[in-house]
Amino acid sequence: MVRWSTLVESASFDQLGTLDASDISDHANLLAERRLRPRDLYRRWEEQQWSADAVRLDRDRDTFQTRLPRTLRRQLEATISTFIVGEYTGLDLLAPVQLGAPDEEDLIFLGTQVADEARHARLMFRVGHEVLGYDPDPTIMLRQAWELAEQEHRDLALLEGEIMRASVANPRDYEKWLRCVTLFHLVTEGVLAVSGQRSIVRALGKTDLLPGIRSAFAAMCRDESRHISFGLHALRTGIREGHADAIYDVLERAMPLALVLTDRLQPTSAFLAADSHEARAATQTGVDSFLRGMRWIGADPAFTRHVVDRARVVAPERLEGRHVREHTGRVAAPIERNPS
């Protein structure tokens, strides 16, 4: 286990941009290990504010347009475009999670997450317009970004809508709320978003390219660390209280899509990384994040292996069994559970 450090916890926005990429990338895992309650995560939110409008992007715009090879520019654009859609979607769909919050402490923390998602969406609209050259109208920009979305992203978006609508229709249904948290905090943020943010932070960590984007994604990583820790706390409680099946149903449907998408971050990360060690760190898939999250919420190890196997069926040439061996000590084996 990596030693806990207060560097990321107490850093200002400007300082975040100068920290070692591994400190930023490891922060979500280290925070999750501490198993903090919502009130503790709220206190961190008060101390870790930053402004999306204060991020300087002028140098990034010039670099992106004139210094980056065309292939790398396209890869970065595809990755950033997923965050343009994803951060806006996060803001748009968080209301059902708030509405169904089971107690007051949960609701208060979720209020901070709404503020974070608004800040992230504002930042990504700025990056889309000022760096990528997209239309400044958010409605048009979202359509432009959506055109670059992978089919798995589109499938996840449809699943998000289905699960969130079910919770809105019955906001006091605790299992429906847990299903929302599973998709929003464990799948979308805990694997998909944090893997994308880490890949950019690590890849840019030892270069002088795109300093505004690097600092902004480092700050987003720290914000996501709080969100993920909240989700792990909620799902750990849900499993302990006997609601594992509702959580597992969402994971079985959504996680294979997310794991395939995170694996596609590899080309951009490897291209940018300054040395072979950094390249290996930058190109890891989301399998590691998923395995840690499942361990932290107390999930059944056999079900965890089953989900990874389903992802391997979707993209067998991409997802390797070594990730499962490293975390569970054995090769993944499928189990018979709700086959489809």
Side-chain angles (χ1 to χ4, degrees):
M1 176 179 170
V2 180
R3 180 176 63 86
W4 171 257
S5 171
T6 60
L7 284 175
V8 179
E9 281 285 298
S10 59
S12 67
F13 178 85
D14 291 336
Q15 290 169 336
L16 280 172
T18 67
L19 295 181
D20 188 272
S22 62
D23 288 329
I24 302 294
S25 297
D26 291 336
H27 184 64
N29 296 332
L30 295 173
L31 194 65
E33 288 278 8
R34 303 189 74 183
R35 301 195 173 197
L36 300 176
R37 296 188 62 83
R39 69 169 72 95
D40 301 310
L41 297 170
Y42 173 85
R43 294 189 187 106
R44 280 166 168 76
W45 174 80
E46 285 201 332
E47 297 168 356
Q48 295 173 349
Q49 297 300 301
W50 55 281
S51 169
D53 280 345
V55 179
R56 291 194 58 185
L57 295 173
D58 49 339
R59 179 180 170 188
D60 297 60
R61 177 177 58 249
D62 294 339
T63 297
F64 186 83
Q65 298 295 338
T66 63
R67 291 181 57 192
L68 297 186
R70 179 180 299 177
T71 299
L72 178 56
R73 192 163 63 243
R74 287 176 176 172
Q75 291 171 345
L76 275 173
E77 179 182 0
T79 300
I80 292 172
S81 70
T82 67
F83 281 96
I84 293 174
V85 174
E87 297 299 340
Y88 174 80
T89 302
L91 176 62
D92 187 42
L93 294 182
L94 194 56
V97 186
Q98 276 193 297
L99 190 62
D103 63 38
E104 290 76 12
E105 283 191 13
D106 291 339
L107 180 61
I108 289 172
F109 173 78
L110 288 167
T112 73
Q113 188 171 344
V114 171
D116 288 341
E117 302 297 350
R119 178 165 49 216
H120 297 175
R122 168 61 181 163
L123 172 67
M124 297 317 301
F125 287 151
R126 284 194 61 210
V127 172
H129 174 53
E130 298 175 34
V131 179
L132 302 186
Y134 286 3
D135 194 285
D137 184 328
T139 302
I140 298 175
M141 185 188 300
L142 287 165
R143 286 201 297 266
Q144 291 175 305
W146 184 249
E147 289 299 317
L148 296 178
E150 302 273 5
Q151 184 59 48
E152 290 86 357
H153 268 124
R154 296 169 184 263
D155 292 341
L156 276 174
L158 291 174
L159 183 57
E160 284 177 336
E162 172 192 328
I163 289 176
M164 297 302 178
R165 283 193 298 272
S167 185
V168 169
N170 195 349
R172 296 307 174 194
D173 187 317
Y174 182 51
E175 286 202 344
K176 286 184 171 58
W177 184 78
L178 286 172
R179 289 167 64 85
C180 290
V181 172
T182 302
L183 184 57
F184 201 99
H185 290 81
L186 183 52
V187 179
T188 303
E189 297 202 313
V191 171
L192 194 54
V194 80
S195 294
Q197 290 159 357
R198 285 170 175 166
S199 73
I200 289 178
V201 169
R202 281 191 175 275
L204 295 176
K206 293 188 177 180
T207 76
D208 62 350
L209 301 173
L210 309 175
I213 288 177
R214 194 226 183 234
S215 295
F217 271 79
M220 289 168 63
C221 260
R222 185 170 66 179
D223 290 348
E224 300 288 10
S225 298
R226 297 190 303 270
H227 307 167
I228 293 165
S229 285
F230 171 81
L232 294 173
H233 163 76
L235 297 178
R236 188 163 52 243
T237 302
I239 287 179
R240 189 171 62 243
E241 295 179 353
H243 302 284
D245 282 349
I247 295 168
Y248 292 169
D249 178 64
V250 175
L251 291 173
E252 188 163 32
R253 297 173 66 188
M255 193 59 76
L257 299 172
L259 293 180
V260 170
L261 287 168
T262 58
D263 199 59
R264 291 176 185 162
L265 297 170
Q266 291 189 19
T268 301
S269 303
F271 198 115
L272 279 170
D275 55 50
S276 59
H277 172 75
E278 200 65 19
R280 285 193 299 273
T283 59
Q284 288 186 352
T285 70
V287 175
D288 294 324
S289 296
F290 171 61
L291 293 172
R292 288 192 189 95
M294 295 296 275
R295 186 179 75 246
W296 286 327
I297 67 175
D300 179 1
F303 175 74
T304 300
R305 293 192 297 272
H306 167 64
V307 172
V308 175
D309 280 336
R310 283 178 63 85
R312 193 178 292 117
V313 169
V314 174
E317 75 284 2
R318 291 180 175 271
L319 298 174
E320 299 176 356
R322 66 179 177 84
H323 294 286
V324 179
R325 287 195 294 272
E326 289 169 0
H327 287 268
T328 68
R330 60 186 292 185
V331 178
I335 64 173
E336 292 298 323
R337 185 185 185 282
N338 298 332
S340 60

